[in-house]
Amino acid sequence: MSDQVTLVTPSDPPPLPSGPRPKATSRGRAAAPTAVSNSDSSDMPELEYFGIPGPRGYPPLTEFLDIFDTNMMHRADESNRRLHHTTLFNLDSLIVRRGQEFQVKITFNRPYKPAEDKFALEFVIGSSPQYSKGTYIPVFPTPDRQTSWAGRVLETSNNVVTMGITPAANCIVGKYHMYVAIVTPYGIRRTRRDDSRDLYILFNPWAADDEVFLDDETEREECVMTELGIIYHGSYDDIAERTWNYGQFNHGMLDACLYILDRCQMPITNRGDPVKVTRQASAMLNSRDDEGVLVGNWSGNYVDGVAPTSWTGSTDILLSYYRSRQPVAYAQCWVYAAVFNTFLRCLGIPSRVVTNFFSAHDNDGNLKTDIILDENGRIDRSRTRDSIWNYHCWNECYMARQDLPPGFGGWQVVDATPQETSDGLYRCGPASVQAIKHGQTCYPYDAPFVFAEVNSDVVFNVRSKDGTLEPVKVNRTHVGRVVLTKNPGDLTRRDITDQYKFPEGSPEERTVLEKAVKYGCKREQSNPSPADVELNMPTLEVTMGEDFELTLEFVNHSGETRTVDAYISGSVVYYTGVTSSEFLFRTPTVTVGPHKCKDWSLQSVKELLDIEARTYMRHLVEQSNLNFIVTGKVEETEQIVSAMKVVTLRNPRLIIEVSENGRVNEEMIASVRFTNPFSFNLEGVYVRMEGPGLMTAATKYYSLIPGHASLVWSEYFTPQRAGTSRMVAVLDCAALRQVYGEASVTIEP
């Protein structure tokens, strides 16, 4: 018999079925789906019998102890919320913090008899509560039977039992429901599902066993309880401030923050781990890959949304996302950081907004920002792709970091601005600040990226005709010039640069950089000798619309005459360092006398440039930044000289006036005044005003404000609580961004 080969003619594959693809489920892989929504729940049965029924069925359970009422003691003036630091939440539910006892009063049909009666409080979270997962927790009143949550009877009075419950310090954070269960020999009888027995459990920075414990009351008050913050922007030598209403206690905010975790389908069981919560949230605060909270936009065109500079607080953003289930437009880095700060403080994780001035970006751990020059020393803009942000805002949150070796807990960098992907999503952190300072970039998460943001070198490269690059100047001090955050307890700023890096040029700094390179960060190794001609540009304070004079000083440190062929470029730039348009270009040749010359005026030459407002005003983009870059080549030595200066134009201010003698629940009036300082009209103007505890955000639209004309907008409001707060307002239009004003307001009880 001979072997035969049967040829099979390939046929077309069967057509794909039409219609929608079936929803993927866990059926066949797991006995029950993973609980990923805090808003979903399954009701516990009111009657749960033991064993099988007898001939006459199940016996009645009515002869045993019965529950008449439960009091969650949830009011803001009661001890639960007062002791748990949750009185400011505008929510009619019990809100407590884990690792700390709270009280519940239970009224029975008769006095409780510990020797005879058995009952338990049952706390459930999610759609499939299980004891082994920590989503179903029974709490017993007797010391001989305790679970991960401690329970005890604090007081009995007639038919009322006051019970103390202490949630575990590592329990799941979110919204629970409580049942009261009576245990009988024949079965369990429970209370019915009732929303009045819902409670929220938050992280607890006051509890020593909680991973977010912060042992500093001043810092806790600032980083958890404070609703108004200051965000720093501008440039490092001309720092501006922006007041922001975090509003973490406003009505609906807690549910909105929990919805963010639901939206990304974060497993309920992971929501007690601050590392996992903050990492997931840093992805969900931007909409790049998961329909998160905020849409980023750096284009200057915001006609179909709200300009990033127009926001005054987080409340409108988070509530809009919660209600519409759609990302909110638009945001830039400080908006991402401010809203993320609200999320963290609302859930009880200590947090603060941090600003890094001259922040290196998009380098993925590369410690170099390259500026390409042609052979004459002029910037080649077509080949210079790297940019340095004038400033960048991120968040720091406080936690123990038990997943890292000892010493790397404390403040952690988390960043929701979408820049680079991390594990497939646009997110960053948490990265230990201590690890960044000591060059331990091997520890998760994203430490190399943050390390580069504060430690990159600016490298000037000359590109030859054959395309090769030669480093001719390295500036190792430009990036990460200063790192700021708000000082706890007052309105001043706090310099925390030393928490991120050692002093420039110190032995510790060199050791840290060597360690970072060892862990994979690439750094410029060449060290070109500096030019013997120094170029200086002084700091300028310029009001928008003004003419001004720019001074360049060339200083000769050599003993011979030097001639510099200079290139002076003035550009309007976004705060990200990206050029919008060039409005100035000059090519002076400057001759500077030798250093030993007796006449100082010969060894230091000043070049004066008159900058007229009409040359830059028509090119301005939203944050009114002018970037002057001067480069040049010394004819005698072919050395490269350079200097860079960012000038942030000062905007006019809003004036806010608030009626005096304010009292809680008594109507007041706030007025905003503004005068258009320009000769041209301002069109499509939005004015927004709000204040924590005073008024929710209100908006006014003006189609036109003529040149030099004034507006007055008055709004009535009714303050909700006593104390000192601030009213914040912002004016925004396409021709004029970031016009702010604020006023302090004191409300009497």
Side-chain angles (χ1 to χ4, degrees), residues 257-277:
C257 292
L258 294 177
Y259 169 72
I260 291 172
L261 301 179
D262 286 353
R263 180 65 178 267
C264 63
Q265 297 190 326
M266 182 181 187
I268 293 287
T269 53
N270 290 345
R271 300 189 190 185
D273 186 338
V275 174
K276 293 178 180 178
V277 169

Side-chain angles (χ1 to χ4, degrees), residues 313-517:
S314 304
T315 303
D316 280 359
I317 294 171
L318 286 170
L319 293 184
S320 176
Y321 183 69
Y322 180 46
R323 292 164 181 163
S324 70
R325 273 38 179 179
Q326 296 295 321
V328 179
Y330 288 106
Q332 292 177 3
C333 73
W334 72 91
V335 183
Y336 284 115
V339 177
F340 199 0
N341 213 54
T342 299
F343 172 90
L344 294 167
R345 290 188 182 183
C346 186
L347 294 188
I349 301 174
S351 63
R352 58 194 186 188
V353 176
V354 169
T355 303
N356 176 37
F357 287 91
F358 290 145
S359 186
H361 272 247
D362 297 332
N363 44 46
D364 198 20
N366 180 4
L367 299 181
K368 295 196 303 179
T369 299
D370 293 307
I371 296 178
I372 312 302
L373 311 176
D374 63 22
E375 292 181 316
N376 296 318
R378 179 180 178 179
I379 288 184
D380 187 340
R381 294 194 179 276
S382 64
R383 291 184 170 88
T384 299
R385 303 298 175 86
D386 291 346
S387 66
I388 299 171
W389 293 29
N390 295 343
Y391 67 91
H392 176 51
C393 299
W394 60 64
N395 302 82
E396 286 182 1
C397 55
Y398 198 91
M399 62 185 69
R401 286 308 295 268
Q402 295 179 357
D403 57 323
L404 300 183
F408 293 103
W411 292 110
Q412 312 289 314
V413 172
V414 285
D415 192 348
T417 302
Q419 303 163 72
E420 298 289 330
T421 58
S422 173
D423 295 335
L425 297 176
Y426 281 94
R427 58 185 169 187
C428 181
S432 167
V433 174
Q434 276 295 308
I436 293 163
K437 179 173 182 177
H438 291 88
Q440 298 282 5
T441 57
C442 56
Y443 293 129
Y445 295 90
D446 308 310
F449 185 83
V450 181
F451 184 87
E453 286 183 300
V454 296
N455 285 294
S456 287
D457 298 331
V458 180
V459 182
F460 292 84
N461 301 274
V462 170
R463 185 179 186 274
S464 61
K465 293 180 179 178
D466 63 4
T468 58
L469 298 178
E470 178 187 358
V472 293
K473 181 178 179 180
V474 180
N475 188 336
R476 305 193 189 278
T477 63
H478 185 72
V479 169
R481 190 68 63 90
V482 64
V483 184
L484 297 179
T485 190
K486 179 182 176 296
N487 212 30
D490 57 42
L491 303 180
T492 61
R493 56 181 179 243
R494 179 180 179 184
D495 187 339
I496 57 172
T497 313
D498 62 346
Q499 296 185 22
Y500 280 84
K501 55 185 181 179
F502 290 99
E504 299 284 355
S506 65
E508 294 88 351
E509 187 216 17
R510 288 194 296 269
T511 301
V512 165
L513 290 171
E514 290 170 1
K515 190 181 299 181
V517 170

